[in-house]
Amino acid sequence: MKLSVTRHDLPTANPFSIARGTTTTAGIVTIELTHDGTTGIGGAGPSAYYGETVDSVVDVLADLRSAIHGWDDPHAGQHVARTLADEVSDAPATRAAVSTALADLAARDLGVPLYRQWGLDPDAAPRTSYTVGIAEPERMAENARQAVEEGFDILKVKAGTDDDRTRLRAVRDAVPDVTLRVDANCAWDADEAIEQTQWLADRGVEFLEQPVPADDIEALRRVHEDASLPICADESCVTAADVARVADACGVVTVKLMKCGGLWPAIEQIHAAHAHGLDVLLGCMLESNASIAPACHLAPLADYVDLDGALLLATDPYEGVAMPDGRLALSDVRAGTGVRPVRNG
Ligand SMILES: [Mg+2]
């Protein structure tokens, strides 16, 4: 199997801010795996928070190159996932890049879309939310209004500033009729989070994601037990192995390919969450369609979807699954994950 690796610096459409900081350029790595004349495309959107960078992804791929060169079966996804988990366990975005490219290759080899290869129901995929990053209140209101004009009816609003209520009020006033979700990205302590939850519930917020620091499961549990809206664990629930630990401290867990290490580990985490009675939000980082499109094929297994990572970029060398009005158009995919280079892009 032939591997080719490309690094990209992709500017974001707007400066994208969360509680931890601001991104204006997303470092992305895309890969192509070619076998018997068929090419599968995948990608990594590495996150420094989880210990990866574009450089580390490229380095790990270089280490894997000779092993990948020896691979001869595009349908060995389970075996490859296990091998990568053993050999590069601390490089989840890198594993995700290989996993998504191999899945695209395997489904293209069969001439079917990935979701059909897995027997999943495209009509079961929830609509995606669109994320409104932290900015001045008027700017956030304007971004929300624009997203709703473009057809989105679910917004995820980032919080974790010195004045979240002014910002959230501005967004709510600008788009009174849409579903809002709020993500504090670890910014609050338990007392502040508990104080915020009733206020958020009163404004019809659907759920609150990661109110407290990732490692403080006791704080998460306190907020969950007190809150009148569902609490979602993202940074506190990285892989399937974390699900049991947070199972009585939240109602929803966020699954991302770039956290857990690819499609197989994501399926494992989704099933672990459901087995514990939790709902699943399928999310993403700032990513190219090269890795967003494969994630879309898991959406039928999720209860909520936030796969807008490529929509937040100003440019993307790849097209993926179309998202008219936030609906994942899986049925339009003819083969593989639907990723293809943008023509004349
Ligand atoms: Mg989150």
PDB file of all heavy atoms in Angstrom, residues 217-235:
ATOM      1  N   ILE A 217     -13.685  14.786  38.099  1.00  0.00           N
ATOM      2  CA  ILE A 217     -14.920  14.022  37.869  1.00  0.00           C
ATOM      3  C   ILE A 217     -15.910  14.256  39.015  1.00  0.00           C
ATOM      4  O   ILE A 217     -17.127  14.231  38.819  1.00  0.00           O
ATOM      5  CB  ILE A 217     -14.598  12.513  37.722  1.00  0.00           C
ATOM      6  CG1 ILE A 217     -13.561  12.297  36.616  1.00  0.00           C
ATOM      7  CG2 ILE A 217     -15.874  11.720  37.402  1.00  0.00           C
ATOM      8  CD1 ILE A 217     -13.927  12.839  35.263  1.00  0.00           C
ATOM      9  N   GLU A 218     -15.374  14.514  40.220  1.00  0.00           N
ATOM     10  CA  GLU A 218     -16.256  14.792  41.353  1.00  0.00           C
ATOM     11  C   GLU A 218     -17.046  16.083  41.115  1.00  0.00           C
ATOM     12  O   GLU A 218     -18.250  16.159  41.399  1.00  0.00           O
ATOM     13  CB  GLU A 218     -15.413  14.888  42.643  1.00  0.00           C
ATOM     14  CG  GLU A 218     -16.224  14.828  43.913  1.00  0.00           C
ATOM     15  CD  GLU A 218     -17.285  13.717  43.909  1.00  0.00           C
ATOM     16  OE1 GLU A 218     -16.965  12.567  43.539  1.00  0.00           O
ATOM     17  OE2 GLU A 218     -18.443  14.024  44.242  1.00  0.00           O
ATOM     18  N   ALA A 219     -16.382  17.105  40.569  1.00  0.00           N
ATOM     19  CA  ALA A 219     -17.080  18.361  40.236  1.00  0.00           C
ATOM     20  C   ALA A 219     -18.116  18.122  39.149  1.00  0.00           C
ATOM     21  O   ALA A 219     -19.243  18.624  39.220  1.00  0.00           O
ATOM     22  CB  ALA A 219     -16.063  19.410  39.774  1.00  0.00           C
ATOM     23  N   LEU A 220     -17.755  17.325  38.159  1.00  0.00           N
ATOM     24  CA  LEU A 220     -18.694  17.006  37.074  1.00  0.00           C
ATOM     25  C   LEU A 220     -19.937  16.334  37.661  1.00  0.00           C
ATOM     26  O   LEU A 220     -21.076  16.664  37.305  1.00  0.00           O
ATOM     27  CB  LEU A 220     -17.997  16.092  36.058  1.00  0.00           C
ATOM     28  CG  LEU A 220     -18.702  15.867  34.725  1.00  0.00           C
ATOM     29  CD1 LEU A 220     -18.711  17.134  33.875  1.00  0.00           C
ATOM     30  CD2 LEU A 220     -18.041  14.726  33.942  1.00  0.00           C
ATOM     31  N   ARG A 221     -19.705  15.391  38.588  1.00  0.00           N
ATOM     32  CA  ARG A 221     -20.812  14.666  39.219  1.00  0.00           C
ATOM     33  C   ARG A 221     -21.703  15.629  40.006  1.00  0.00           C
ATOM     34  O   ARG A 221     -22.934  15.552  39.929  1.00  0.00           O
ATOM     35  CB  ARG A 221     -20.253  13.581  40.138  1.00  0.00           C
ATOM     36  CG  ARG A 221     -21.349  12.705  40.771  1.00  0.00           C
ATOM     37  CD  ARG A 221     -20.770  11.593  41.628  1.00  0.00           C
ATOM     38  NE  ARG A 221     -20.045  10.626  40.830  1.00  0.00           N
ATOM     39  CZ  ARG A 221     -18.717  10.482  40.821  1.00  0.00           C
ATOM     40  NH1 ARG A 221     -17.967  11.251  41.594  1.00  0.00           N
ATOM     41  NH2 ARG A 221     -18.140   9.586  40.058  1.00  0.00           N
ATOM     42  N   ARG A 222     -21.100  16.547  40.743  1.00  0.00           N
ATOM     43  CA  ARG A 222     -21.900  17.520  41.525  1.00  0.00           C
ATOM     44  C   ARG A 222     -22.785  18.347  40.598  1.00  0.00           C
ATOM     45  O   ARG A 222     -23.958  18.574  40.881  1.00  0.00           O
ATOM     46  CB  ARG A 222     -20.965  18.472  42.296  1.00  0.00           C
ATOM     47  CG  ARG A 222     -20.514  17.939  43.639  1.00  0.00           C
ATOM     48  CD  ARG A 222     -19.710  18.998  44.381  1.00  0.00           C
ATOM     49  NE  ARG A 222     -20.470  20.231  44.621  1.00  0.00           N
ATOM     50  CZ  ARG A 222     -19.932  21.434  44.797  1.00  0.00           C
ATOM     51  NH1 ARG A 222     -18.618  21.578  44.767  1.00  0.00           N
ATOM     52  NH2 ARG A 222     -20.692  22.483  45.014  1.00  0.00           N
ATOM     53  N   VAL A 223     -22.207  18.816  39.491  1.00  0.00           N
ATOM     54  CA  VAL A 223     -22.980  19.632  38.544  1.00  0.00           C
ATOM     55  C   VAL A 223     -24.102  18.791  37.940  1.00  0.00           C
ATOM     56  O   VAL A 223     -25.257  19.218  37.870  1.00  0.00           O
ATOM     57  CB  VAL A 223     -22.069  20.200  37.426  1.00  0.00           C
ATOM     58  CG1 VAL A 223     -22.886  21.030  36.433  1.00  0.00           C
ATOM     59  CG2 VAL A 223     -20.937  21.032  38.027  1.00  0.00           C
ATOM     60  N   HIS A 224     -23.760  17.572  37.541  1.00  0.00           N
ATOM     61  CA  HIS A 224     -24.740  16.663  36.929  1.00  0.00           C
ATOM     62  C   HIS A 224     -25.906  16.404  37.881  1.00  0.00           C
ATOM     63  O   HIS A 224     -27.075  16.429  37.476  1.00  0.00           O
ATOM     64  CB  HIS A 224     -24.017  15.358  36.568  1.00  0.00           C
ATOM     65  CG  HIS A 224     -24.906  14.213  36.216  1.00  0.00           C
ATOM     66  ND1 HIS A 224     -25.686  14.193  35.079  1.00  0.00           N
ATOM     67  CD2 HIS A 224     -25.162  13.025  36.864  1.00  0.00           C
ATOM     68  CE1 HIS A 224     -26.363  13.045  35.035  1.00  0.00           C
ATOM     69  NE2 HIS A 224     -26.069  12.339  36.105  1.00  0.00           N
ATOM     70  N   GLU A 225     -25.598  16.170  39.161  1.00  0.00           N
ATOM     71  CA  GLU A 225     -26.653  15.832  40.118  1.00  0.00           C
ATOM     72  C   GLU A 225     -27.545  17.020  40.417  1.00  0.00           C
ATOM     73  O   GLU A 225     -28.721  16.874  40.709  1.00  0.00           O
ATOM     74  CB  GLU A 225     -26.026  15.265  41.412  1.00  0.00           C
ATOM     75  CG  GLU A 225     -25.563  13.828  41.199  1.00  0.00           C
ATOM     76  CD  GLU A 225     -24.730  13.284  42.358  1.00  0.00           C
ATOM     77  OE1 GLU A 225     -24.459  14.058  43.316  1.00  0.00           O
ATOM     78  OE2 GLU A 225     -24.335  12.101  42.290  1.00  0.00           O
ATOM     79  N   ASP A 226     -26.978  18.210  40.321  1.00  0.00           N
ATOM     80  CA  ASP A 226     -27.736  19.418  40.661  1.00  0.00           C
ATOM     81  C   ASP A 226     -28.469  20.028  39.468  1.00  0.00           C
ATOM     82  O   ASP A 226     -29.463  20.723  39.639  1.00  0.00           O
ATOM     83  CB  ASP A 226     -26.761  20.462  41.247  1.00  0.00           C
ATOM     84  CG  ASP A 226     -27.504  21.608  41.888  1.00  0.00           C
ATOM     85  OD1 ASP A 226     -27.874  21.460  43.063  1.00  0.00           O
ATOM     86  OD2 ASP A 226     -27.744  22.623  41.193  1.00  0.00           O
ATOM     87  N   ALA A 227     -27.969  19.751  38.270  1.00  0.00           N
ATOM     88  CA  ALA A 227     -28.389  20.521  37.090  1.00  0.00           C
ATOM     89  C   ALA A 227     -29.785  20.144  36.615  1.00  0.00           C
ATOM     90  O   ALA A 227     -30.210  19.002  36.744  1.00  0.00           O
ATOM     91  CB  ALA A 227     -27.404  20.307  35.952  1.00  0.00           C
ATOM     92  N   SER A 228     -30.464  21.140  36.040  1.00  0.00           N
ATOM     93  CA  SER A 228     -31.776  20.873  35.470  1.00  0.00           C
ATOM     94  C   SER A 228     -31.701  20.770  33.950  1.00  0.00           C
ATOM     95  O   SER A 228     -32.706  20.819  33.266  1.00  0.00           O
ATOM     96  CB  SER A 228     -32.753  21.964  35.894  1.00  0.00           C
ATOM     97  OG  SER A 228     -32.130  23.221  35.813  1.00  0.00           O
ATOM     98  N   LEU A 229     -30.491  20.662  33.415  1.00  0.00           N
ATOM     99  CA  LEU A 229     -30.326  20.326  31.999  1.00  0.00           C
ATOM    100  C   LEU A 229     -29.210  19.281  31.911  1.00  0.00           C
ATOM    101  O   LEU A 229     -28.396  19.171  32.826  1.00  0.00           O
ATOM    102  CB  LEU A 229     -30.036  21.562  31.136  1.00  0.00           C
ATOM    103  CG  LEU A 229     -28.635  22.170  31.087  1.00  0.00           C
ATOM    104  CD1 LEU A 229     -28.584  23.283  30.061  1.00  0.00           C
ATOM    105  CD2 LEU A 229     -28.160  22.642  32.432  1.00  0.00           C
ATOM    106  N   PRO A 230     -29.184  18.487  30.837  1.00  0.00           N
ATOM    107  CA  PRO A 230     -28.160  17.439  30.747  1.00  0.00           C
ATOM    108  C   PRO A 230     -26.744  18.023  30.711  1.00  0.00           C
ATOM    109  O   PRO A 230     -26.512  19.079  30.118  1.00  0.00           O
ATOM    110  CB  PRO A 230     -28.494  16.729  29.429  1.00  0.00           C
ATOM    111  CG  PRO A 230     -29.925  17.055  29.164  1.00  0.00           C
ATOM    112  CD  PRO A 230     -30.143  18.430  29.709  1.00  0.00           C
ATOM    113  N   ILE A 231     -25.823  17.301  31.331  1.00  0.00           N
ATOM    114  CA  ILE A 231     -24.408  17.679  31.333  1.00  0.00           C
ATOM    115  C   ILE A 231     -23.666  16.688  30.449  1.00  0.00           C
ATOM    116  O   ILE A 231     -23.889  15.473  30.514  1.00  0.00           O
ATOM    117  CB  ILE A 231     -23.835  17.636  32.769  1.00  0.00           C
ATOM    118  CG1 ILE A 231     -24.609  18.593  33.680  1.00  0.00           C
ATOM    119  CG2 ILE A 231     -22.341  17.973  32.755  1.00  0.00           C
ATOM    120  CD1 ILE A 231     -24.596  20.050  33.251  1.00  0.00           C
ATOM    121  N   CYS A 232     -22.778  17.235  29.614  1.00  0.00           N
ATOM    122  CA  CYS A 232     -22.051  16.438  28.639  1.00  0.00           C
ATOM    123  C   CYS A 232     -20.562  16.444  28.981  1.00  0.00           C
ATOM    124  O   CYS A 232     -19.999  17.498  29.297  1.00  0.00           O
ATOM    125  CB  CYS A 232     -22.292  17.041  27.256  1.00  0.00           C
ATOM    126  SG  CYS A 232     -21.364  16.286  25.939  1.00  0.00           S
ATOM    127  N   ALA A 233     -19.926  15.270  28.934  1.00  0.00           N
ATOM    128  CA  ALA A 233     -18.486  15.155  29.202  1.00  0.00           C
ATOM    129  C   ALA A 233     -17.728  15.037  27.887  1.00  0.00           C
ATOM    130  O   ALA A 233     -17.965  14.099  27.121  1.00  0.00           O
ATOM    131  CB  ALA A 233     -18.216  13.928  30.065  1.00  0.00           C
ATOM    132  N   ASP A 234     -16.850  16.003  27.627  1.00  0.00           N
ATOM    133  CA  ASP A 234     -16.010  15.953  26.427  1.00  0.00           C
ATOM    134  C   ASP A 234     -14.561  15.694  26.851  1.00  0.00           C
ATOM    135  O   ASP A 234     -14.071  14.565  26.779  1.00  0.00           O
ATOM    136  CB  ASP A 234     -16.172  17.262  25.637  1.00  0.00           C
ATOM    137  CG  ASP A 234     -15.324  17.302  24.369  1.00  0.00           C
ATOM    138  OD1 ASP A 234     -14.569  16.354  24.109  1.00  0.00           O
ATOM    139  OD2 ASP A 234     -15.407  18.313  23.627  1.00  0.00           O
ATOM    140  N   GLU A 235     -13.886  16.735  27.370  1.00  0.00           N
ATOM    141  CA  GLU A 235     -12.495  16.563  27.795  1.00  0.00           C
ATOM    142  C   GLU A 235     -12.368  15.500  28.893  1.00  0.00           C
ATOM    143  O   GLU A 235     -11.305  14.902  29.061  1.00  0.00           O
ATOM    144  CB  GLU A 235     -11.916  17.900  28.278  1.00  0.00           C
ATOM    145  CG  GLU A 235     -11.618  18.905  27.157  1.00  0.00           C
ATOM    146  CD  GLU A 235     -12.814  19.799  26.792  1.00  0.00           C
ATOM    147  OE1 GLU A 235     -13.975  19.408  27.048  1.00  0.00           O
ATOM    148  OE2 GLU A 235     -12.578  20.904  26.238  1.00  0.00           O
TER     149      GLU A 235
END
